[in-house]
Amino acid sequence: MLSEYVQQWSAIQTVRAADLGDIDIFLSYFALDGNADEIEIEGYLAGVTMLPVQDRDLLAHAINELLDSTGSMVDGAHYSNHDATTSSGYSDYLRTLVISPEEFDFTAPPAGDLTASAMTDTSKNVPASLEAAAAAEDPDLDETEFRRLQALHESGLLETGAEERFDRLTRQARDHFGISSASIALITEDAQIIKSVTGPLGEDMPRDLSLCGTTIKYDRTLVINDASVHPDWRDHPLVTGGPQVRFYAGHPVCTSGGWRIGTLCLMDDQPRAFSDDDMQVLRRLAAQVQMEIWV
């Protein structure tokens, strides 16, 4: 049985590589009697929601049918198990997933590619500077947090400064919600680093003071409608002093490997309501941030 997250990763990579459109994918999936709606399919292919196994296999089949109909040579989307793969008729489209000590190695070559360079295993290439810094900072650093930090550093986002592709999304978020500020924050071992900010609220700060540092702990949207009366947040330094934050809404953003490295967040100095529809929009914007990170 293939991990649900590995299967999702496979579908996303296939869609990106073949430049398939969301509408075409959904129509192909719908023609196979799929039950998920268009928003759920978009969310799955953006990495912000998960589908049941039957829908994951049906969507993989829809993607592979599109590859077949267009004559694409891109590797296909994987199914959840061997039986589903062999019965699909598309097993020859699928790249081998090699079991490794790190669970999975996606550096295996596409079908027919037998070059030695394509077989190089890069799954253990931990940046020496990061490893040394982590060990010096905390020799007992939790393995999961170490892997998260590794993914953040390997993304290269900490070295590239402000980028218009991210500024465009924070402007879009602020304008859509009509709030004071929107930002994209990256969470390092000890700090919040602002990758993009539109508005006056949002700055680099110690991680233990960062609301976004709390957001990345869970795979869900954190909403604080009025921090000044919230028992968990009313005494926070960002609420009692400085920017006097009242409203906060943030959603994690992940690497293609699923590591939560930062957030897309909204902030205001006035309390605000935030509906289920608002949360869905924020998640979709976070998905766009993720796609920019993955590209």
Side-chain angles (χ1 to χ4, degrees):
M1 189 77 175
L2 191 64
S3 159
E4 60 184 1
Y5 295 107
V6 175
Q7 186 179 8
Q8 181 181 37
W9 187 94
S10 166
I12 291 169
Q13 297 300 314
T14 299
V15 168
R16 283 172 47 194
D19 196 25
L20 298 177
D22 287 347
I23 296 299
D24 292 334
I25 295 169
F26 177 73
L27 291 176
S28 178
Y29 165 82
F30 185 75
L32 295 171
D33 295 325
N35 292 319
D37 62 29
E38 187 175 353
I39 297 300
E40 289 172 316
I41 296 301
E42 287 182 3
Y44 176 79
L45 293 176
V48 296
T49 189
M50 183 55 66
L51 294 173
V53 62
Q54 298 91 336
D55 289 300
R56 297 200 305 271
D57 282 342
L58 207 58
L59 184 60
H61 199 70
I63 292 169
N64 293 335
E65 282 193 346
L66 285 174
L67 297 180
D68 192 31
S69 66
T70 59
S72 174
M73 299 302 292
V74 170
D75 295 311
H78 278 265
Y79 299 87
S80 62
N81 58 54
H82 178 73
D83 289 342
T85 300
T86 54
S87 64
S88 71
Y90 290 114
S91 58
D92 290 343
Y93 281 73
L94 307 183
R95 175 186 298 208
T96 302
L97 300 180
V98 181
I99 302 298
S100 77
E102 309 290 0
E103 257 193 67
F104 290 92
D105 169 22
F106 290 100
T107 60
D113 184 355
L114 302 180
T115 61
S117 60
M119 293 299 293
T120 302
D121 182 358
T122 61
S123 63
K124 298 178 183 178
N125 288 344
V126 179
S129 59
L130 171 60
E131 188 169 19
E137 179 70 23
D138 183 356
D140 299 317
L141 185 66
D142 178 80
E143 174 66 16
T144 300
E145 173 66 0
F146 177 78
R147 294 284 297 278
R148 190 193 71 80
L149 292 171
Q150 177 184 339
L152 171 59
H153 283 260
E154 288 180 344
S155 74
L157 295 171
L158 293 170
E159 286 75 47
T160 51
E163 297 181 65
E164 172 59 25
R165 59 189 179 126
F166 294 116
D167 294 342
R168 172 178 54 81
L169 292 171
T170 54
R171 287 195 301 268
Q172 183 179 344
R174 186 186 68 167
D175 293 346
H176 175 85
F177 291 105
I179 44 86
S180 172
S181 301
S183 62
I184 297 168
L186 304 174
I187 306 301
T188 72
E189 50 268 49
D190 57 7
Q192 166 184 287
I193 305 298
I194 297 298
K195 180 66 177 176
S196 171
V197 60
T198 301
L201 304 180
E203 58 184 301
D204 295 352
M205 65 179 59
R207 180 174 174 174
D208 58 1
L209 294 181
S210 166
L211 298 175
C212 295
T214 299
T215 302
I216 68 163
K217 294 179 180 179
Y218 308 100
D219 186 17
R220 55 93 178 95
T221 306
L222 174 61
V223 178
I224 307 170
N225 298 107
D226 186 354
S228 68
V229 297
H230 195 294
D232 295 334
W233 301 104
R234 61 191 178 195
D235 296 324
H236 192 282
L238 294 178
V239 177
T240 59
Q244 295 193 327
V245 172
R246 293 296 177 263
F247 169 78
Y248 173 91
H251 192 82
V253 294
C254 305
T255 66
S256 59
W259 296 102
R260 293 190 290 270
I261 61 171
T263 68
L264 171 64
C265 72
L266 314 170
M267 286 192 292
D268 206 315
D269 57 5
Q270 299 296 322
R272 288 181 174 269
F274 206 67
S275 68
D276 289 343
D277 287 343
D278 289 332
M279 282 194 284
Q280 186 175 75
V281 173
L282 180 59
R283 288 194 293 267
R284 293 184 70 176
L285 287 168
Q288 293 183 52
V289 174
Q290 286 186 169
M291 295 305 291
E292 290 295 337
I293 290 173
W294 299 354
V295 170

